[in-house]
Amino acid sequence: KAFPADRLDDLLWKGFINPGKEADTCPWVKYNLRDILITLLCAYGGCRASEPLHLWVDDIFVDPDDPDMALVLVHEPHEGIVNYIDPMTGNRRKTSRADFLQRVCGGRKPLTLETGRRHAGWKGCLLTHRERRAFHVFWIDKDAGRLFLTLWRLYIQHVRPVTPQIPWAFLTKDGLPLGVEGFNDSLKAAVRRIRLT
């Protein structure tokens, strides 16, 4: 099953309007930018619904070949590599995401180990960046990659809660990692708004 391609624009720009904010002129108020970004990754980047939920804020880059387009690397939730500055020593370190979450983020764990609404699965895929244990999202439409970068900047600046010990990109209003169940609820509501089943 696939979402009908001819209704993607309706889904993005009508389905993901925040209820009661239709007339607002600020895109970060009018639209649910978080879920538009996830939908762009799925519809134009070939991701499964759970894969974007494993993204961390530092996994989104400006594409060196096109400074208007996003370069997105989705890391394996446990073994993906993270580079960071050790707060105790000031030294640069490299470790796995699971280790980083345990040591630096107050004992948090990858979303694959969470239960309920925080859970996001991982089926495994070709890791195109083997040294980082990550895969590169290839945009099937370059304009979607450019739109993603524009909306990403608005999302980070105006929407995403500031949470120092939570590295995930996509959070709930309470500042907790978004799981598949939460995204699916939002997607279903957006689909209903554009009168699809």
Side-chain angles (χ1 to χ4, degrees):
K1 292 180 181 179
F3 189 85
D6 61 327
R7 298 300 305 274
L8 271 170
D9 279 347
D10 286 342
L11 177 67
L12 295 173
W13 308 118
K14 294 177 183 170
F16 286 118
I17 288 179
N18 285 317
K21 305 294 183 183
E22 296 84 358
D24 204 294
T25 57
C26 296
W28 56 89
V29 175
K30 181 175 182 175
Y31 297 105
N32 180 339
L33 293 183
R34 179 197 69 193
D35 294 348
I36 290 174
L37 290 165
I38 296 168
T39 302
L40 286 171
L41 287 165
C42 294
Y44 294 101
C47 292
R48 296 179 179 99
S50 60
E51 290 168 344
L53 305 180
H54 296 290
L55 283 170
W56 290 10
V57 172
D58 295 340
D59 296 339
I60 315 296
F61 306 90
V62 173
D63 191 323
D65 298 327
D66 184 343
D68 295 325
M69 189 163 62
L71 188 155
V72 181
L73 296 179
V74 182
H75 290 72
E76 201 281 334
H78 297 259
E79 298 301 322
I81 297 300
V82 59
N83 295 301
Y84 70 102
I85 304 291
D86 189 316
M88 299 295 284
T89 65
N91 295 332
R92 296 185 67 77
R93 292 199 50 179
K94 183 194 309 190
T95 189
S96 70
R97 295 201 163 209
D99 182 60
F100 181 85
L101 289 169
Q102 182 67 38
R103 289 177 189 242
V104 180
C105 299
R108 293 196 173 274
K109 52 191 174 182
L111 300 183
T112 53
L113 299 178
E114 291 285 356
T115 57
R117 295 186 69 82
R118 298 278 89 71
H119 177 79
W122 181 266
K123 293 191 184 305
C125 51
L126 176 64
L127 300 179
T128 55
H129 287 255
R130 289 186 183 174
E131 72 286 351
R132 292 182 69 122
R133 297 189 186 106
F135 72 84
H136 183 144
V137 173
F138 293 97
W139 300 105
I140 61 170
D141 180 342
K142 302 286 187 193
D143 287 336
R146 294 182 185 104
L147 174 62
F148 184 93
L149 184 59
T150 299
L151 297 180
W152 172 255
R153 288 172 169 157
L154 293 175
Y155 171 73
I156 289 298
Q157 186 174 359
H158 299 286
V159 179
R160 187 186 180 276
V162 177
T163 51
Q165 287 197 320
I166 300 187
W168 290 278
F170 301 118
L171 305 180
T172 66
K173 290 176 184 171
D174 300 325
L176 297 171
L178 180 69
V180 173
E181 197 175 316
F183 174 68
N184 283 343
D185 289 348
S186 178
L187 179 61
K188 285 176 190 173
V191 167
R192 281 195 301 270
R193 280 189 206 104
I194 62 169
R195 294 182 167 82
L196 289 179
T197 54

